[in-house]
Amino acid sequence: MKLYFASGNSHKKEEMTRLLGGFALVLPKEEGIEFDPEENGSTFIENALIKAEALYSIVHQPVLADDSGLMVKALGGAPGVHTARYGDDAGKKLSAREKYMLLLKNMEGKEDRSATFVTALCLILSPERKYIIQETCEGEIATSPSGTNGFGYDPVFFVNDAGMIAAELPEGDKDIYSHRGKAARKMLTLLKEELNDKE
Ligand code: IMP
């Protein structure tokens, strides 16, 4: 089964391929398809669906899309669907470090530091067959950054189940606990079922 991945990001593709046990994914740009839909949903599921439907309407073949972010309880669920753009304004984009330092600043004085990473995955097999899987990784926002592994907000995210800051987790271990790892494992079960049905 050929599966398109609704993203423009080759690193994301590599990560998702690994998480899906080597399942071959095709990026739209690899086939010269221009793809940059406006992610204006108010939830991760809406955004994953927007991306999957936009690409499906072009390729008319199975499509996978994802959307992720961080929800912090004391900030009313922010940055949420705006996680990738947190603190950016028209003129300036913050670096990953500037973003998590801004988060630490906004968390000053907050007693409840609980937070959740969320990933929504959307698989469209045909216009009538659509699957959504949403998973979480529960944690706490640390008071200072630590660790060098991972990306994004990992240096300030303490993973409850691992008892460690995400950026301190040995490479590979993060997949066990992460929102994306959990969602991808469930998606792989679904994809395997589809493949077996086709055999
Ligand atoms: P995306 O939808 O996967 O691009 O994720 C949106 C933003 O959430 C990213 O730009 C990261 O800053 C952040 N993010 C998502 N997953 C993680 C993670 O596992 N660790 C740290 N940051 C993450």
Side-chain angles (χ1 to χ4, degrees), residues 12 67-69 83-84 117 151-154 174 179-180:
K12 261 194 166 190
D67 198 60
S68 305
T83 302
F117 265 120
F151 68 98
Y153 297 79
D154 282 346
K174 188 179 155 192
H179 43 312
R180 229 181 336 276

Side-chain angles (χ1 to χ4, degrees), residues 132-145:
I132 303 263
I133 291 168
Q134 183 165 286
E135 268 296 354
T136 59
C137 177
E138 304 294 334
E140 304 262 327
I141 303 303
T143 47
S144 60

Side-chain angles (χ1 to χ4, degrees), residues 171-191:
E171 289 293 352
D173 280 14
K174 188 179 155 192
D175 295 348
I176 302 169
Y177 307 101
S178 84
H179 43 312
R180 229 181 336 276
K182 290 182 200 170
R185 282 191 288 280
K186 291 194 172 133
M187 183 55 76
L188 182 58
T189 306
L190 188 60
L191 288 168

